[in-house]
Amino acid sequence: MNRKTLVLPAVVGLLAPVLAACGGSDSGSGGGDAIVVGTTDRFTASKDAPAPLDPAYSYDVGTWNILRQTVQTLMIQPKGEGEPVPEAAESCGFTDTGNERYACKLRSGLQFADGDAVTAKDVKFSIDRARAIKADSGVFALLSTIDTIETQGDNEVIFHLKTADATFPFKLSTPVAGIVNPDDYDKGKLRDGFAVDGSGPYILKADTDGDEMTKAVFTRNPHYKGTLKVNNDEVDMVSYKDADAMGTALQKGDIDLMTRTMSPEQIKKLAESPAGGDIDLVELNGLEIRYLAFDTTDPAVKSKAVRQAMAQIINRNELVSKVYGSQAEPLYSLVPASLTGHSNSFVNTYGEPNVGKAKALLADADITKPVKLTLNYTTDHYGPATKQEFEVLQKQLNDSGLFDVTIKGTAWDAFVPAERKGEYAVWGMGWFPDFPDADNFVAPFLDKDNFLKSPYSNSDIIDTLIPSSRREADRQSATKSLTEIQDIVAKDVPILPLWQGKQYVAANNDVTGTAYALNSSATLQLWELGRGASS
C-alpha cells in the first residue's frame, strides 16, 4: 500500500488570526456513507465510574471528545485556534472593569435535540449542577471562580465571579459547562450509562457490549443552531483494543480515519511511505504532556529529597529518543514550551542528569539507599509505547544504584479509581489541556480541589500566584506569576514533567477536513470531516 504524508506547519496558533467557522447543521456537503473513525479510547461504565458521559463527571480526553460532538457550550475554541468565540451564545463578554461580571446572550432559536427550547435557565441549571455534584473526577474545579449565576429573561446569563479570571471564557468552552436538558438530568446526581442529551451538532447512539461502549454513532442534529459548519450526516467512532487492530482496520478499509492512539512505529512507517498513495498522515501541533505524579504523604516519596533525586537522575532526552523519536520533545516544566508563560524550571534547577548530585541529595536527607519504589502506569489509555517508556525510566533510576524500582501496569478502568483512592505513591499520567492557556497546566494540578487529589498544597501558589496570573487579560503579563509557580514545582517536585508530544491523524485520502480533525487541545472536531476528491 502506498502512502503519502501531509505535514502541517506548526500552529503558532494562539497568536494566529482566528479563522472562525460559520453556518449550522444545514451547512456542508453532507450525504454519502458514514465516515468511520477508529480510536483506542475505551468507554466503560464501571461500578466506580458508572456515569462516564455525564458532563458533571467526565474529565478525560476520550469522553470529552464524545461530549464535544453532542453537548453545546456558550463558547467554543475556533477552527483556526485563538481566543474562544460564542457558540450557543450570540455574544459574551466581561461587563465590568474588574473582570468579575461575565454576561452572555443566547443565540435565538436554540433547541435541544428533542426539539425543546434551550433557555438561560437551562444554562444555569447545567453549570450549577456540575458545581453542586462535585464529582470525584475533579472536573467541577474548572468552575471554581464562579460565585453565583443569574438569569435575565430566557436569553441572558450573567456569571458573578469570586475573583478576576481572564481564562473564564475558555472554561465556558469546556464540556463541564455543556448545556443539558433538565428533563433528562437529575439536579443532584449523575446520569449513569452512555446516554447524552444536548443541543450540539450531533445526536449520539451508543452501541454497547455489556458495560462498554464499542461504537458511538453520531448523526447530524436537525435542531442544531450554532457556529459550526457540519460537513457530514453521520460519523461512527469505533473502539479498538489496540493500535495494531486499529491500523489493520484502516488498511482493510473498515475505517476511514484513525487517531488516538497510534503507536510510534505506525507513525514512523506512514511518514516514511512514498507520496501518492491512498493514506495521508497528518501531523498536527499538540499540547499533550506526560508526567509522574506523587502522593507526597506516602512514606516512599514523602521526603522531598527522594523526588528531587528522581528529577536529578531522569534523562528526558534519552527517554524521548528511545521511545518516541521525533514524535515528542523533552519537557522541563508543567507548561509546554509553545505556550506563553513557559519556563524551563527543571533545567534551571537541576541542569543535566547527574547521579552524584542525586546521591548527595539523598545523603543530606539521611535517606536509606536504594529507595524502593513502584512506578504505576496504565496499559491501555496513552498508547502502546507507555510500557516501554516506564521500562526506560525504571532502568535509568535503577542504574544509578540509588533506587530499586519496579513497574506495574493496570487497565485504565481500574487505574483511575486506584489513583483517586490514594493507592499509588508514584504514577504516570498524561494531560490533554482543557484549553490552550498556561493556567490549565498549573491550576488543575496545584489549586484547591485539584483533579489529582494531591495532598501537596502551597499557599503562595493557591492564594497569591494563581489568582495574580488570572487577573492578567494580557497573558504575557501573567508570565512573572506563572514562572514563580513553575520554579516552586521544580523545587518541591509534587509532579515531574517528562515530555510533550505531537498529534497525528491517518486517513484515506478521499476524506476531507483532516487538517482540522484535531485542535491543539486534542479536541476531536468530527464536523470538519467530509468526503471529496483526493488531495
Side-chain angles (χ1 to χ4, degrees), residues 97-108:
T97 56
N99 288 345
E100 295 181 359
R101 184 182 188 273
Y102 194 81
C104 292
K105 181 180 180 182
L106 294 185
R107 191 176 298 275
S108 63

Side-chain angles (χ1 to χ4, degrees), residues 320-368:
V320 168
S321 175
K322 286 187 173 181
V323 183
Y324 297 102
S326 62
Q327 300 161 28
E329 297 176 356
L331 180 64
Y332 298 97
S333 169
L334 277 176
V335 179
S338 52
L339 285 184
T340 299
H342 165 81
S343 174
N344 281 322
S345 297
F346 276 79
V347 169
N348 299 336
T349 303
Y350 299 98
E352 294 296 319
N354 189 304
V355 173
K357 290 182 179 179
K359 184 176 182 179
L361 286 166
L362 295 176
D364 289 347
D366 292 325
I367 302 296
T368 301

Side-chain angles (χ1 to χ4, degrees), residues 72-144:
Q72 201 172 17
T73 49
L74 291 171
M75 304 290 284
I76 195 169
Q77 294 178 48
K79 177 177 179 177
E81 305 288 348
E83 297 295 318
V85 296
E87 163 57 357
E90 179 181 285
S91 62
C92 283
F94 287 105
T95 61
D96 66 327
T97 56
N99 288 345
E100 295 181 359
R101 184 182 188 273
Y102 194 81
C104 292
K105 181 180 180 182
L106 294 185
R107 191 176 298 275
S108 63
L110 286 177
Q111 293 177 285
F112 290 108
D114 65 1
D116 288 350
V118 176
T119 69
K121 288 183 179 179
D122 298 325
V123 176
K124 174 177 166 59
F125 168 86
S126 302
I127 296 177
D128 276 344
R129 174 177 178 268
R131 295 170 62 219
I133 288 176
K134 290 190 174 182
D136 65 2
S137 66
V139 69
F140 68 91
L142 281 170
L143 307 172
S144 63

Side-chain angles (χ1 to χ4, degrees), residues 327-457:
Q327 300 161 28
E329 297 176 356
L331 180 64
Y332 298 97
S333 169
L334 277 176
V335 179
S338 52
L339 285 184
T340 299
H342 165 81
S343 174
N344 281 322
S345 297
F346 276 79
V347 169
N348 299 336
T349 303
Y350 299 98
E352 294 296 319
N354 189 304
V355 173
K357 290 182 179 179
K359 184 176 182 179
L361 286 166
L362 295 176
D364 289 347
D366 292 325
I367 302 296
T368 301
K369 302 179 287 294
V371 178
K372 291 189 175 183
L373 291 177
T374 298
L375 305 187
N376 293 274
Y377 67 94
T378 179
T379 57
D380 58 349
H381 190 68
Y382 297 121
T386 306
K387 181 180 180 181
Q388 183 185 356
E389 176 181 338
F390 274 73
E391 289 172 343
V392 173
L393 290 171
Q394 178 188 32
K395 187 174 188 305
Q396 288 182 355
L397 291 167
N398 286 350
D399 283 355
S400 73
L402 304 177
F403 287 87
D404 180 4
V405 169
T406 58
I407 59 174
K408 181 181 178 182
T410 305
W412 182 248
D413 61 352
F415 179 86
V416 172
E419 177 265 311
R420 289 178 182 161
K421 292 175 184 176
E423 295 179 11
Y424 301 149
V426 190
W427 66 102
M429 291 283 283
W431 181 252
F432 300 83
D434 308 323
F435 51 87
D437 186 275
D439 177 86
N440 195 241
F441 290 87
V442 170
F445 305 96
L446 304 169
D447 207 352
K448 297 174 185 174
D449 299 318
N450 66 81
F451 92 101
L452 286 174
K453 303 289 186 288
S454 172
Y456 174 80
S457 178

Side-chain angles (χ1 to χ4, degrees), residues 40-103:
T40 59
D41 284 328
R42 314 293 284 183
F43 306 97
T44 304
S46 66
K47 179 181 178 181
D48 290 311
L53 297 184
D54 191 317
Y57 175 84
S58 169
Y59 203 15
D60 69 74
V61 66
T63 54
W64 266 25
N65 277 334
I66 300 291
L67 294 176
R68 301 263 194 195
Q69 322 306 317
T70 51
V71 177
Q72 201 172 17
T73 49
L74 291 171
M75 304 290 284
I76 195 169
Q77 294 178 48
K79 177 177 179 177
E81 305 288 348
E83 297 295 318
V85 296
E87 163 57 357
E90 179 181 285
S91 62
C92 283
F94 287 105
T95 61
D96 66 327
T97 56
N99 288 345
E100 295 181 359
R101 184 182 188 273
Y102 194 81

